[in-house]
Amino acid sequence: MRFTRRNFFNLIAGAFMAMGISTDAIRTKVRGGWVLREDDT
Amino acid sequence: MRMEVSDLDSAGQFDFCVIGTGPAGITTAMSLAADGKRVALLEAGQEEYTEESQDHYKGTIVGDEYLDLEFTHLRYFGGTSNHWGGWCKTLDAIDFEGKKGFPDTEWPIRKTDLDPYLKQTAEILEVPLFKPDMPLANSGFKSTDFTFSPPVLFGEKYGDALKADPNIALVFDAALTAFDTNGAAITAAKIKDSQGAEYSVHADRYILATGGIENSRLLLWANAQSNDQIVKNTKSLGRYWMEHPALPVGDVLMTTEFANSVMQDGIAFISPSAEWISQNDALNCLLYLESMTYRGVKAMIADVMCVAPDFGRWAFQQVNKSLYCGTNFRCGVEQLPLEKNRIELSDELDSSGMPRTILYWTKGEAELQSFRKAARGLADYMAKADVGRVHLRPWVLSDGSYPKEYDDVPGHHMGGTRMSDNSNLGVVDRNCKVHGQENLYVAGSSVFTSGGYANPTFSIVQLALRLSDHLKSLS
């Protein structure tokens, strides 16, 4: 399940990059010094 | 050909007198000699390293912790090329154009003025030409190419050619102590050998190429002995001195796919685009990622599990499938050129009677914020694009000052005789000629108006070739 979700995000991010679409809408958060995606759990 | 220092007085008039045998001096001398010019090439030290000669470079540091001056530049044939690491990189176009919000960072020349010397410089330093930058999607960052010289040690590589060249008089143990001037031009370079004997060199033009510390020191000392008749406007002399502050900023877990796209031989070089620099009011910088051991990667995963256990477990699976890897994350930044960072003359004298160097140097707020913005910017990009996660050091994420633990600066000496068309802001003009002197030029990283992040040797050689072409056009 987790692996699938990761693949999905990789695909999405890759598609964004390929199309030159900004990933600015994706938010990040900082926990314990780690810069994480907001949906990282 | 070799010439003994004691023969200088009877050597007659040279076309050029080049002072210093590092990359700038040897490049300039060989280029001029190849054009049929008669060149005196002077080295203050000997053909080989001696402790007695190196002792002249002892100095005092005031400000931030810094490398001992006697170890950061070398006083023998080949100069500081004798211990350079070989890293090659050009300055970026934006380095010449200046940075928005940062005064005194604009050069009077542009990158396009040095580009014609790319191929020749690459040949001299024995490196391939640079591959084009590769933008990382729309992140504002790009993967950028460095090349690595063997490294070329200039004395070792070019010594035989210099000694065989009938147009070159290569003189060891010939330390510049002063210039004679008629008020408008230099009429002689005053030389002293290690035994204290003094000589004069006469040339149509003089090129000072003794490095990013000694160019300032020698001109300050020449001025002190001539009532400021060598560099007549002293406002910037010795000032606007720069380094490349560098610090570890964190560690990175990343996809192997991303690593493969940016890393070469276990290291990746990433720098911000001109647009990112302008939009973020930052100085230029280099972010470099260097592969770490499997043990280090496991430690990182254990750490991230504390704050994002699902991600951590997933990352651990990926590492075991060789789909994820880890790197150390370091950053080196351009230093804002400031008057207060400067070289002055000490009251203490070296064995020749020349005042030793005092270097006043501190890192500032502009560099600190640039470290933070760049490290956070790349970390954000990697998370958003889901190509990795970055663990940043506490000082990067805080509002405090620099970290207490100290990291090496690379020993890049820049500025002090910087280039500007305004003599209040620079010692040399766009052609590297000292303002107010008809025939005195400076070669080397001391003429850098601003320093970007690039290791300076490649640009030093480019500038020396450009200076040589200019000098040939005059005669």
Side-chain angles (χ1 to χ4, degrees), chain B residues 265-318:
Chain B
D265 299 326
I267 190 163
F269 301 105
I270 294 171
S271 65
S273 66
E275 293 73 24
W276 185 94
I277 290 170
S278 295
Q279 287 164 7
N280 287 276
D281 296 325
L283 295 162
N284 207 349
C285 60
L286 176 68
L287 304 155
Y288 42 118
L289 311 176
E290 198 167 7
S291 290
M292 65 166 61
T293 60
Y294 180 63
R295 195 171 172 177
V297 177
K298 279 205 302 185
M300 263 203 293
I301 291 174
D303 189 74
V304 77
M305 276 186 177
C306 298
V307 294
D310 288 349
F311 171 79
R313 276 189 286 274
W314 174 84
F316 186 69
Q317 291 170 2
Q318 303 313 299

Side-chain angles (χ1 to χ4, degrees), chain B residues 83-99:
Chain B
H83 73 181
W84 78 301
W87 289 38
C88 290
K89 184 71 187 163
T90 57
L91 291 162
D92 285 341
I94 193 173
D95 295 326
F96 294 89
E97 294 157 9
K99 313 292 185 311

Side-chain angles (χ1 to χ4, degrees), chain B residues 42-58:
Chain B
L42 310 181
E43 167 54 49
Q46 308 289 346
E47 187 163 9
E48 302 292 338
Y49 177 89
T50 69
E51 287 187 8
E52 293 75 20
S53 177
Q54 193 60 31
D55 182 82
H56 292 260
Y57 283 178
K58 283 181 180 167

Side-chain angles (χ1 to χ4, degrees), chain A:
Chain A
M1 188 71 172
R2 178 76 190 174
F3 185 65
T4 304
R5 192 174 82 90
R6 279 290 144 205
N7 270 348
F8 173 74
F9 279 118
N10 273 330
L11 283 170
I12 293 297
F16 281 168
M17 285 192 284
M19 292 185 290
I21 294 171
S22 173
T23 53
D24 287 347
I26 301 170
R27 293 177 183 274
T28 60
K29 61 185 179 184
V30 178
R31 296 285 184 276
W34 284 92
V35 179
L36 304 167
R37 290 171 68 111
E38 197 172 44
D39 58 356
D40 279 335
T41 55

Side-chain angles (χ1 to χ4, degrees), chain B residues 162-366:
Chain B
L162 291 165
K163 289 172 188 169
D165 193 325
N167 289 326
I168 288 179
L170 173 62
V171 188
F172 298 126
D173 196 16
L176 178 76
T177 58
F179 288 113
D180 284 344
T181 177
N182 61 15
I186 303 300
T187 55
K190 310 301 284 186
I191 304 301
K192 190 186 276 190
D193 70 16
S194 54
Q195 304 305 307
E198 297 184 83
Y199 309 94
S200 295
V201 178
H202 299 278
D204 294 345
R205 293 184 174 84
Y206 301 82
I207 298 103
L208 185 61
T210 59
I213 299 279
E214 298 305 311
N215 281 349
S216 290
R217 180 189 180 199
L218 286 165
L219 287 175
L220 285 163
W221 181 226
N223 254 17
Q225 298 172 91
S226 66
N227 196 24
D228 293 343
Q229 286 305 295
I230 307 302
V231 179
K232 294 172 184 173
N233 186 341
T234 62
K235 200 165 182 328
S236 66
L237 177 58
R239 295 180 178 273
Y240 300 97
W241 195 86
M242 298 165 286
E243 246 287 0
H244 286 137
L247 287 165
V249 293
D251 302 293
V252 182
L253 280 171
M254 69 175 102
T255 63
T256 306
E257 186 181 12
F258 179 74
N260 289 340
S261 71
V262 295
M263 296 184 83
Q264 193 170 5
D265 299 326
I267 190 163
F269 301 105
I270 294 171
S271 65
S273 66
E275 293 73 24
W276 185 94
I277 290 170
S278 295
Q279 287 164 7
N280 287 276
D281 296 325
L283 295 162
N284 207 349
C285 60
L286 176 68
L287 304 155
Y288 42 118
L289 311 176
E290 198 167 7
S291 290
M292 65 166 61
T293 60
Y294 180 63
R295 195 171 172 177
V297 177
K298 279 205 302 185
M300 263 203 293
I301 291 174
D303 189 74
V304 77
M305 276 186 177
C306 298
V307 294
D310 288 349
F311 171 79
R313 276 189 286 274
W314 174 84
F316 186 69
Q317 291 170 2
Q318 303 313 299
V319 168
N320 284 339
K321 293 175 188 167
S322 296
L323 294 172
Y324 240 59
C325 60
T327 68
N328 298 308
F329 182 15
R330 293 170 53 83
C331 183
V333 299
E334 171 181 13
Q335 181 160 32
L336 185 63
L338 295 174
E339 272 190 276
K340 69 173 185 176
N341 285 323
R342 66 194 186 276
I343 291 163
E344 289 190 358
L345 299 178
S346 166
D347 292 334
E348 187 188 342
L349 307 181
D350 67 16
S351 61
S352 74
M354 184 182 294
R356 292 193 185 277
T357 300
I358 307 176
L359 173 65
Y360 294 84
W361 182 70
T362 54
K363 304 182 292 293
E365 186 67 17

